[in-house]
Amino acid sequence: MAIGGLTSSTSSSIRGYGGLASGLDRDTLIEGMVYGTTSKITQQEQKKTQLEWKQTAVQNISDMMIAFANKFTDSLTSPTNLFSSVFWGRTQISTTGENAKYVSVTGNASSAEAITIMGVKQLAEKAKWTSSANVSNQTLESGQITKEMMDANYDVQHLVGKNLEFKVGAESYSLYLKSTDKDGNAYDYSTADGIAKAINEQLADITVGGEGSGKNLGQYVKVTSAGDEIVFSGIKDEGNKLMLTGGSAVGLLGFNSLAGDDGWDLANSGFIRGEVDKDKLVTEIDFDHKIAGKQLTFSYNGTSKNIYMPSVEELKDGVTKKIEEAAAKGETMTSEEAKMDVIKESLQNQLNAAFGKGRIEVSNKDGKLSFKTMDPSQAGKEDKTSTFSLVSGSEDLVGANGILGIKAGESNRVNLNASWEKSGLDLSKVKFDQEEVVKDAEGNIVYKEGTTDPVTRNKTSFTLNGKEIAVYEDDTMSSLMDRINNSGAGVKLTYQSAADKFTFTSTENGASGAVEMKGNGDLLNGLFGVNNDTPDANGDVSVDIRGKDAIVAVKYNGSDEVVELIRDSNSFTVDGLTIGVKGKFGYQGDTVDTIDKDAAVGIDARVNTDNIVDSIKDMVEQYNKIVDLVNSELTTRPDKEYAPLTSEQKKELTESEIKLYEEKAKSGMLYGDSDLRTLSSDLRFVVSGGMAEALKNIGITTSTLYSDNGKLTLDESKLRAMLEADPEAVEKAFTTKSGNENQNGLATNLKNVMDKYVKTMGSMQNKGILIRKAGSKSSPMSLTENALYDQIKAVKEAITKLNTRLETERDRYIAQFTSLETLISQMNSQSSWLSQFGG
């Protein structure tokens, strides 16, 4: 059978073997005998394929129309729904007049034209108080380095920074030995007891099995000591490996000779022992070697640089030189004083090179190093705008046990987490003369360990908006700020580091908020810079700041009365309008009768012309694409030479050849379709006769070319002009719904067409014509309840019956050929038997 230039083959495998006795080509003969049935199967397969192609073609049109409806006529959530009041609404609200810059307005268009802002007498302000001057001493200062510190010897613990490697199951864990515990207390790595304690505490900090497992390495490994011996013991965990696999600390712990190939097995052996050598654990050094070459990292206005302490040689030579210079002047200088001067000068030179000469001044007084920011353009003048901080440094210098007695993060501003002494604030005159019993979170008294004596704290206090705020001798500014902000006083305290000032801001708006603070002058001045020169008889000073409400004068259209609105914020709502004010205008005195009427701010509401024009332009383009697709499918004739390919034919072609062939075979599936013909007609007349002139006035017309099949054309300039002049008329031309279809607006007619053909809601009887015809993924139920689906289903059933008939016919012919072969074989045997009697 020839199809589109291709030859159809119907051969297929037939069970059994034939022709052994007869010499007949059994399979070919049988295929010829069942040809009638196989031809019918092929025809039905092709019919099924054509119906599926037709279904897809209809669904393509439906999909395009459904997308159009969702965007422009149906979906309430679509921003381009042509029936939406928001789409046509006067949503672009602007202010007019010379003072329009002081007023912003958003909201309901109908309200916009009903109100005029006559003036703003007062802006709303939260109650706010800020320190009048810098609150800190603007100095970064070290602790005192005493003669005793310089004469002392220091232990270098060689286990600090070393690591131990463990394995639990397949997971590896590293423990790096720290110098201090969580509270900043130094670990003692000089004895076996101290080592065991330090390692056990740190093992408990390492999570095993991932976050949330609730397990830590300390539950698997325990360290004990006996004399100079360190013993690591393991806990067997359901067969998991538990190994000490190595690390830089194992040698110092005396485990060198005990390791296997993979390390030490703690799970099976139970424990391992190592003997520590105290002489290798700790080395004693003097002051110069402890600080020599150690690193400090400083930050100046956000730029960080590394600075180093002088070397041992620099210290030694510098001290000798300083003492000799002093002697030459007839002065006496101790080696400690000389050493501090050498350190100071070394740091000064490096800071000059790092941040610029004259910007950081280093001084040395009474064994303390201090750092101040200076103005290099004016000798001796401090720069109170720059920040200088210690970012980090060697543990020998920085931290709880560092020589400098200074913590990382401290700066020339208020050090919020430091003690009062090191905070940079001056509380030297404050008396913490009130004693308070300490209570825990549940309100229970806390007692000194092993006694019935309660723990107490020394404090003083001040009042803030009527609330007593305690200030403790052992407080930090950070803890005090938390106490204030959580006190319920209705105030938030913040610290502006760059300005070096504190700000109290009411948490309530307008006149409802206040900052009322009263307390001892030395306390409030030392803490917040309350520089009140007139304390009362008790030495108390006070701050009293009140918030302000906004006062805005408005006039409603149709009334000559000016009304003053009082609001706690500069942004407020009036009759559906959100009004924001940001400047005073209009008032020439304190009353409304002094308002300059020419200063008034009007409110203008317009439609969003750009948005509407763009949306209608898009609608016209999408509509015209639907018209093109419908009429293309309707008028394209099918090529009868291109029937669907059979599976045997496809085996003879490449994928690209199959694709090209099927493109031609699929064309014309909907040629002359009656449903598409009525759809094409309905689309051609969406511009109803009664609204044609109105639509023409807004720039929308139907193409005069018959071949365009009713495509729409759009004059953007006309549409834009009408939207500016009369947006309601444009809306009416689209949305009018009349009992007379000839008077319907364009959007109404479009919706009617879409509902008629692609409505997806309701029962199948109420769905659109194309949905009932071919179904749609937008209506899942319709995919198995449509006319084409029923036809395809019927063809599939016919194919099944034909395949059953084909199998029956083949079986019958096979049986007949088998009988023939048996008979011929018997005859051949008899012939051979008789032939032996011949002659």
Side-chain angles (χ1 to χ4, degrees):
M1 179 171 58
I3 302 176
L6 297 174
T7 301
S8 173
S9 172
T10 57
S11 63
S12 61
S13 175
I14 299 178
R15 297 184 304 280
Y17 299 94
L20 295 177
S22 66
L24 298 174
D25 186 349
R26 186 198 69 175
D27 291 354
T28 301
L29 289 171
I30 291 177
E31 283 303 323
M33 299 168 99
V34 298
Y35 177 73
T37 303
T38 55
S39 295
K40 289 178 181 178
I41 292 173
T42 299
Q43 291 169 3
Q44 291 298 318
E45 291 281 3
Q46 290 174 324
K47 183 178 180 180
K48 178 174 77 72
T49 299
Q50 287 176 327
L51 286 170
E52 289 171 344
W53 286 348
K54 186 174 183 178
Q55 185 181 47
T56 299
V58 175
Q59 288 178 353
N60 288 340
I61 296 172
S62 298
D63 289 347
M64 186 178 287
M65 293 178 69
I66 290 169
F68 181 93
N70 287 340
K71 192 170 187 179
F72 300 111
T73 64
D74 282 353
S75 176
L76 297 177
T77 59
S78 172
T80 54
N81 187 323
L82 297 173
F83 294 98
S84 168
S85 59
V86 175
F87 179 78
W88 298 105
R90 294 174 178 263
T91 56
Q92 288 191 321
I93 300 175
S94 59
T95 52
T96 61
E98 63 182 44
N99 292 306
K101 61 185 177 181
Y102 296 122
V103 180
S104 63
V105 182
T106 58
N108 188 291
S110 59
S111 298
E113 298 177 343
I115 190 171
T116 302
I117 311 298
M118 301 301 296
V120 176
K121 181 179 181 180
Q122 178 175 286
L123 292 174
E125 295 178 7
K126 282 190 173 185
K128 181 182 288 188
W129 179 87
T130 300
S131 309
S132 58
N134 305 103
V135 293
S136 75
N137 59 15
Q138 301 246 307
T139 303
L140 173 61
E141 188 174 67
S142 75
Q144 187 176 24
I145 302 174
T146 63
K147 180 179 186 302
E148 288 73 22
M149 292 169 68
M150 290 188 182
D151 291 341
N153 288 323
Y154 298 87
D155 290 339
V156 177
Q157 303 196 94
H158 296 298
L159 277 172
V160 173
K162 297 293 190 297
N163 73 305
L164 292 168
E165 299 289 339
F166 296 91
K167 181 174 279 190
V168 180
E171 296 297 322
S172 297
Y173 301 92
S174 296
L175 169 62
Y176 287 88
L177 300 177
K178 300 174 183 177
S179 60
T180 60
D181 62 19
K182 294 175 182 178
D183 298 323
N185 301 312
Y187 282 124
D188 179 12
Y189 292 104
S190 65
T191 66
D193 287 344
I195 294 169
K197 179 178 181 295
I199 294 178
N200 281 328
E201 285 186 12
Q202 295 173 75
L203 284 170
D205 293 334
I206 298 178
T207 300
V208 173
E211 198 70 32
S213 69
K215 296 182 178 181
N216 63 73
L217 198 52
Q219 294 171 303
Y220 292 83
V221 180
K222 296 294 180 187
V223 185
T224 55
S225 62
D228 291 336
E229 280 191 332
I230 292 289
V231 180
F232 279 67
S233 57
I235 300 170
K236 197 167 185 177
D237 180 38
E238 299 178 0
N240 279 340
K241 273 190 175 182
L242 179 58
M243 307 285 293
L244 171 60
T245 57
S248 56
V250 294
L252 290 170
L253 296 175
F255 294 149
N256 298 45
S257 61
L258 303 179
D261 293 338
D262 298 323
W264 296 269
D265 187 344
L266 300 179
N268 293 318
S269 61
F271 64 89
I272 57 170
R273 295 177 182 274
E275 187 169 348
V276 296
D277 184 345
K278 293 181 179 179
D279 293 335
K280 293 181 179 179
L281 294 175
V282 179
T283 300
E284 196 174 76
I285 58 173
D286 61 17
F287 176 84
D288 290 1
H289 284 85
K290 185 172 179 64
I291 69 167
K294 296 298 192 306
Q295 177 182 305
L296 296 167
T297 302
F298 289 104
S299 173
Y300 174 70
N301 290 334
T303 300
S304 297
K305 298 285 185 179
N306 293 330
I307 306 297
Y308 299 90
M309 297 295 276
S311 67
V312 173
E313 292 75 16
E314 288 173 317
L315 286 168
K316 182 179 178 181
D317 295 343
V319 167
T320 300
K321 184 178 179 181
K322 289 285 184 185
I323 292 174
E324 289 175 352
E325 288 175 351
K329 297 176 183 178
E331 299 173 353
T332 301
M333 176 177 280
T334 67
S335 62
E336 291 80 21
E337 292 171 335
K339 191 168 292 184
M340 288 301 298
D341 269 359
V342 172
I343 295 171
K344 180 201 77 170
E345 289 180 5
S346 175
L347 295 178
Q348 182 70 72
N349 291 335
Q350 292 179 75
L351 290 169
N352 287 346
F355 301 117
K357 189 176 181 181
R359 296 191 180 277
I360 310 295
E361 181 181 87
V362 187
S363 59
N364 162 39
K365 184 179 181 182
D366 298 329
K368 292 184 178 181
L369 294 168
S370 60
F371 305 82
K372 278 185 173 289
T373 55
M374 307 298 291
D375 183 350
S377 67
Q378 300 184 57
K381 182 181 179 183
E382 288 186 38
D383 172 12
K384 295 184 179 293
T385 68
S386 293
T387 57
F388 183 71
S389 63
L390 176 65
V391 177
S392 62
S394 165
E395 288 185 348
D396 289 317
L397 302 177
V398 176
N401 300 302
I403 288 292
L404 295 180
I406 188 172
K407 294 179 181 178
E410 293 189 23
S411 70
N412 66 333
R413 293 294 190 265
V414 176
N415 294 304
L416 300 176
N417 294 304
S419 64
W420 294 128
E421 183 182 359
K422 295 183 178 180
S423 67
L425 300 171
D426 183 9
L427 297 186
S428 59
K429 299 178 182 178
V430 176
K431 296 178 181 179
F432 296 93
D433 52 5
Q434 303 171 41
E435 189 175 71
E436 180 178 275
V437 174
V438 176
K439 296 181 180 181
D440 61 21
E442 285 74 37
N444 302 313
I445 295 174
V446 178
Y447 295 96
K448 295 176 183 177
E449 189 174 354
T451 73
T452 57
D453 298 330
V455 176
T456 60
R457 299 173 78 184
N458 294 329
K459 74 168 189 176
T460 184
S461 63
F462 66 95
T463 61
L464 180 61
N465 286 350
K467 296 278 187 179
E468 182 182 3
I469 307 297
V471 183
Y472 297 98
E473 193 170 20
D474 58 352
D475 248 335
T476 65
M477 179 50 76
S478 179
S479 62
L480 176 59
M481 290 174 71
D482 287 342
R483 192 175 305 119
I484 290 171
N485 291 335
N486 295 314
S487 67
V491 169
K492 183 177 181 180
L493 175 61
T494 56
Y495 175 63
Q496 286 79 45
S497 178
D500 193 24
K501 295 181 179 181
F502 286 101
T503 296
F504 289 83
T505 305
S506 170
T507 57
E508 294 197 54
N509 288 338
S512 297
V515 178
E516 294 179 333
M517 184 164 47
K518 185 175 182 181
N520 176 267
D522 291 334
L523 175 67
L524 295 184
N525 186 37
L527 286 173
F528 310 120
V530 182
N531 292 314
N532 193 324
D533 295 328
T534 57
D536 63 18
N538 296 319
D540 290 343
V541 296
S542 62
V543 170
D544 189 356
I545 303 294
R546 286 278 170 183
K548 295 180 180 179
D549 285 336
I551 302 176
V552 181
V554 301
K555 186 175 76 170
Y556 290 91
N557 291 352
S559 171
D560 291 331
E561 182 183 4
V562 177
V563 180
E564 281 189 332
L565 304 178
I566 299 175
R567 298 291 185 269
D568 66 0
S569 170
N570 292 318
S571 178
F572 50 90
T573 301
V574 178
D575 295 339
L577 292 176
T578 299
I579 299 173
V581 293
K582 48 192 173 184
K584 296 187 289 185
F585 67 90
Y587 282 84
Q588 296 177 329
D590 290 333
T591 58
V592 295
D593 56 9
T594 67
I595 292 176
D596 179 5
K597 295 182 180 179
D598 293 334
V601 173
I603 302 174
D604 184 32
R606 295 177 178 272
V607 297
N608 190 334
T609 301
D610 289 339
N611 182 62
I612 295 175
V613 169
D614 288 344
S615 297
I616 292 176
K617 181 181 177 183
D618 183 31
M619 183 275 293
V620 169
E621 290 175 354
Q622 297 304 317
Y623 169 82
N624 288 339
K625 287 180 181 179
I626 293 172
V627 171
D628 274 340
L629 180 60
V630 169
N631 286 283
S632 174
E633 292 285 2
L634 181 63
T635 59
T636 300
R637 292 178 178 272
D639 190 336
K640 294 181 179 180
E641 292 295 315
Y642 286 86
L645 294 169
T646 66
S647 57
E648 294 298 327
Q649 289 170 335
K650 287 182 178 180
K651 292 177 182 179
E652 301 173 12
L653 301 175
T654 64
E655 287 187 13
S656 60
E657 287 173 334
I658 293 172
K659 182 179 179 182
L660 289 172
Y661 182 92
E662 289 192 340
E663 283 177 0
K664 293 181 179 180
K666 288 178 181 179
S667 65
M669 286 293 103
L670 300 177
Y671 174 70
D673 184 274
S674 59
D675 291 329
L676 258 61
R677 187 178 293 111
T678 57
L679 171 57
S680 175
S681 176
D682 288 343
L683 289 171
R684 185 183 291 272
F685 297 107
V686 291
V687 175
S688 56
M691 294 299 291
E693 191 62 28
L695 288 167
K696 182 179 179 181
N697 290 337
I698 67 173
I700 296 178
T701 57
T702 303
S703 172
T704 57
L705 294 175
Y706 185 81
S707 60
D708 276 346
N709 298 296
K711 284 185 180 180
L712 299 178
T713 61
L714 173 64
D715 185 333
E716 287 187 43
S717 59
K718 257 189 180 182
L719 176 59
R720 192 175 294 276
M722 279 297 292
L723 284 168
E724 294 290 342
D726 191 358
E728 286 74 18
V730 179
E731 180 182 2
K732 185 177 179 181
F734 274 88
T735 61
T736 295
K737 185 175 182 180
S738 171
N740 181 356
E741 291 186 1
N742 199 40
Q743 300 295 325
N744 281 342
L746 176 58
T748 301
N749 283 339
L750 284 170
K751 178 172 174 54
N752 290 341
V753 172
M754 298 302 150
D755 285 349
K756 180 178 178 181
Y757 289 93
V758 294
K759 183 179 179 182
T760 58
M761 303 300 290
S763 64
M764 281 304 298
Q765 297 94 312
N766 293 324
K767 286 182 168 57
I769 292 171
L770 299 186
I771 305 301
R772 298 198 302 271
K773 187 184 188 77
S776 168
K777 62 179 180 296
S778 297
S779 176
M781 180 179 70
S782 71
L783 292 173
T784 56
E785 295 184 30
N786 61 77
L788 286 172
Y789 177 85
D790 290 342
Q791 293 178 46
I792 293 168
K793 183 179 178 182
V795 172
K796 286 181 177 178
E797 290 173 353
I799 292 172
T800 299
K801 290 179 181 179
L802 286 170
N803 278 322
T804 301
R805 182 199 296 179
L806 177 62
E807 289 301 311
T808 301
E809 289 177 353
R810 282 177 171 168
D811 287 345
R812 185 173 69 250
Y813 290 133
I814 288 171
Q816 290 174 355
F817 271 102
T818 301
S819 296
L820 177 62
E821 290 292 328
T822 301
L823 180 59
I824 292 174
S825 178
Q826 289 173 348
M827 292 175 66
N828 287 337
S829 295
Q830 289 177 356
S831 175
S832 296
W833 180 78
L834 291 171
S835 65
Q836 65 182 326
F837 300 105

